[in-house]
Amino acid sequence: MGFIWALDVALLRRQRATAAAAAGEGAEPPREPALVEFSRSFFPVVLAVLLIRSFLYEPFRIPSSSMMPTLRVGDFIFVSKFSYGLRLPVLNTEILALGRPQRGDVTVFRLPSDPGTNYIKRVVGTPGDVVSMRNKQLMINGEPVPLEFTGEALEVECGGFWFDARVAYETLGGDRHMVFLGEQRDRASPFLDRPVPQGQYLVMGDNRDCSRDGRIIGYIPAENLVGRAVRIWMNWDAEAGGPLWHRIGDRIE
């Protein structure tokens, strides 16, 4: 579309002007081709969308229950691409450092073993942190992360199966969010109880017993980070037969 517009400016428009001059006064000027007119009208819009998606905000859809109750299947979210620095599209080269993930951030990243697949989880460990789990409670550098159980228990879906989960509030990085904690034993992992390597991060889902996260996939390199999830812009719940209006516009914490 942009190529067609540029070709018209550089060559075709001049040819039309020459043809109009040759036809003499009173002749009807040649019309701009429909394809050129279409390209001229829509190319700025397409360019603006591409720039916004590449450098500012990109929409994503939540495909699984691993981040419940913070995010649920059917949520459509905006991800801030510039929160962790501006990167060139395709090349993924950082051109401007603007910030780094903090504990508690909900972040989208490219799966290290399959960069074409995007995951969304919560950052629980930054470079140098030693993250552990003891009886469902996160420990960071030997200090327990504040965890308050509400006394509420729910049946939670996990890949077609259901399990009983306790509802709790966790305070990480100064922000308070809800988590689901099942009755299963703490998941063993070679990526816990050791320092997170420099330039990498450890992530977990809020639905702790139904999440393929850093305990399985390992640490996330900084260059795999896409951005920080900031807001729900739409929700479509297939089981409810439509959107859950109360979720639209919610800030992601």
Side-chain angles (χ1 to χ4, degrees), residues 88-145:
L88 290 175
V90 183
L91 298 177
N92 198 37
T93 303
E94 186 177 71
I95 56 176
L96 183 62
L98 296 175
R100 290 291 180 259
Q102 304 297 313
R103 294 185 204 132
D105 284 3
V106 177
T107 184
V108 171
F109 58 91
R110 290 180 293 275
L111 190 63
S113 61
D114 180 12
T117 300
N118 292 314
Y119 269 29
I120 182 167
K121 306 293 178 187
R122 189 179 297 277
V123 176
V124 298
T126 57
D129 285 341
V130 177
V131 181
S132 310
M133 285 200 77
R134 301 288 185 268
N135 298 318
K136 300 297 181 182
Q137 186 167 28
L138 272 177
M139 309 279 292
I140 298 180
N141 301 324
E143 295 293 328
V145 172

Side-chain angles (χ1 to χ4, degrees), residues 20-227:
E25 291 187 17
E28 184 179 349
R31 296 189 60 182
E32 187 177 67
L35 184 59
V36 171
E37 185 178 359
F38 176 84
S39 299
R40 179 169 53 81
S41 300
F42 284 94
F43 175 68
V45 177
V46 173
L47 179 62
V49 170
L50 287 176
L51 289 174
I52 291 172
R53 284 177 59 97
S54 298
F55 297 106
L56 300 179
Y57 294 97
E58 186 171 355
F60 287 88
R61 179 181 180 276
I62 302 303
S64 75
S65 60
S66 69
M67 278 298 294
M68 286 184 68
T70 304
L71 297 170
R72 54 188 296 170
V73 177
D75 283 340
F76 293 81
I77 65 171
F78 278 130
V79 170
S80 169
K81 301 287 289 287
F82 59 87
S83 291
Y84 304 143
L86 293 181
R87 292 181 178 272
L88 290 175
V90 183
L91 298 177
N92 198 37
T93 303
E94 186 177 71
I95 56 176
L96 183 62
L98 296 175
R100 290 291 180 259
Q102 304 297 313
R103 294 185 204 132
D105 284 3
V106 177
T107 184
V108 171
F109 58 91
R110 290 180 293 275
L111 190 63
S113 61
D114 180 12
T117 300
N118 292 314
Y119 269 29
I120 182 167
K121 306 293 178 187
R122 189 179 297 277
V123 176
V124 298
T126 57
D129 285 341
V130 177
V131 181
S132 310
M133 285 200 77
R134 301 288 185 268
N135 298 318
K136 300 297 181 182
Q137 186 167 28
L138 272 177
M139 309 279 292
I140 298 180
N141 301 324
E143 295 293 328
V145 172
L147 188 68
E148 309 163 50
F149 287 95
T150 65
E152 183 182 7
L154 299 173
E155 270 198 322
V156 177
E157 189 271 340
C158 180
F161 297 94
W162 294 83
F163 69 95
D164 292 328
R166 293 175 293 167
V167 182
Y169 283 98
E170 184 178 77
T171 302
L172 187 62
D175 290 325
R176 192 168 177 256
H177 57 271
M178 292 180 70
V179 292
F180 285 162
L181 302 171
E183 300 294 340
Q184 297 91 330
R185 295 175 59 186
D186 291 334
R187 185 186 300 176
S189 169
F191 304 105
L192 297 177
D193 303 303
R194 55 185 291 189
V196 177
Q198 291 302 310
Q200 302 189 51
Y201 299 86
L202 185 67
V203 296
M204 289 187 188
D206 289 349
N207 193 355
R208 291 284 156 80
D209 292 278
C210 183
S211 176
R212 184 171 182 264
D213 53 33
R215 293 167 289 180
I216 297 173
I217 63 176
Y219 308 114
I220 309 303
E223 58 267 25
N224 283 55
L225 299 171
V226 174

